[in-house]
Amino acid sequence: MAPDVAWLLVLPLVFRTTLVTGITIQTAIKNFRTLHVDYPMVNYPKGFHGYCNGLMAYVRGKLQDWYCPKIHYVVHAPLEDIQKFCKYSESFCENYNEYCTLTQNSFPITICTLARKQAPTSCSYNSTLTNQRLYLLCSRKHDAEPIGIIGLY
């Protein structure tokens, strides 16, 4: 009977870990969609002083964080066009502990870069519009969803 009792004590820990991992992946998938895909591209009012300043105010609000990220990538293409590249992620990126892939197609991308020489309490961004391939983090090896952009090629 002791092994059954021990199993009953361990079982909730196993399920909690799996549940937390599942919630974390679902949050990462949702965040990718809301923070890294802007299609069709939104036009921010002039008061934001440019696309990236408006976008990064939204990103920081969504993440509920006052930290000013140094760089942020936004893709201006339908999510479905991006998702298909995570269908078969054969590479494992050890630095991120996730599967990753390089898209075969180039996408229109805005790179928001934190401006230098500004007040420490300010988050002012420069915008660069480019057309490049993406290094994507994927939620798993097969039939995965994109969960992050780790670079451009």
Side-chain angles (χ1 to χ4, degrees), residues 26-39 42 44 51-52 54-65 67 69 71-77 79 82 109-112 136 146-149:
Q26 290 304 317
T27 301
I29 291 168
K30 183 179 177 184
N31 282 347
F32 181 85
R33 293 175 180 179
T34 59
L35 304 178
H36 293 285
V37 178
D38 183 19
Y39 181 82
V42 172
Y44 289 97
Y51 175 80
C52 280
L55 177 77
M56 294 310 291
Y58 171 77
V59 167
R60 290 173 50 230
K62 198 77 169 151
L63 294 175
Q64 298 179 351
D65 193 354
Y67 170 73
I71 193 163
H72 188 81
Y73 303 109
V74 185
V75 185
H76 307 292
L79 180 61
I82 303 163
I109 301 162
T110 297
I111 304 169
C112 298
L136 295 173
I147 57 173
I149 299 172

Side-chain angles (χ1 to χ4, degrees):
M1 188 107 161
D4 291 337
V5 172
W7 181 246
L8 287 174
L9 293 173
V10 171
L11 197 57
L13 295 174
V14 172
F15 283 135
R16 186 176 302 144
T17 302
T18 303
L19 183 61
V20 168
T21 302
I23 290 170
T24 303
I25 291 296
Q26 290 304 317
T27 301
I29 291 168
K30 183 179 177 184
N31 282 347
F32 181 85
R33 293 175 180 179
T34 59
L35 304 178
H36 293 285
V37 178
D38 183 19
Y39 181 82
M41 191 171 169
V42 172
N43 289 315
Y44 289 97
K46 289 183 182 183
F48 282 105
H49 303 290
Y51 175 80
C52 280
N53 288 317
L55 177 77
M56 294 310 291
Y58 171 77
V59 167
R60 290 173 50 230
K62 198 77 169 151
L63 294 175
Q64 298 179 351
D65 193 354
W66 293 109
Y67 170 73
C68 302
K70 291 184 180 181
I71 193 163
H72 188 81
Y73 303 109
V74 185
V75 185
H76 307 292
L79 180 61
E80 300 78 33
D81 292 354
I82 303 163
Q83 284 175 319
K84 65 183 176 184
F85 292 103
C86 279
K87 186 113 176 115
Y88 301 103
S89 311
E90 295 300 327
S91 299
F92 188 79
C93 291
E94 292 181 16
N95 291 351
Y96 297 93
N97 200 30
E98 299 287 352
Y99 283 92
C100 55
T101 189
L102 176 63
T103 63
Q104 295 170 356
N105 300 350
S106 295
F107 292 97
I109 301 162
T110 297
I111 304 169
C112 298
T113 310
L114 189 62
R116 297 179 190 238
K117 299 183 181 178
Q118 61 182 334
T121 57
S122 174
C123 291
S124 181
Y125 287 87
N126 296 318
S127 300
T128 305
L129 189 58
T130 184
N131 205 29
Q132 292 183 279
R133 294 166 60 191
L134 304 167
Y135 282 107
L136 295 173
L137 287 179
C138 302
S139 60
R140 58 184 177 267
K141 186 172 184 173
H142 297 292
D143 294 324
E145 294 284 333
I147 57 173
I149 299 172
I150 56 175
L152 306 175
Y153 180 77

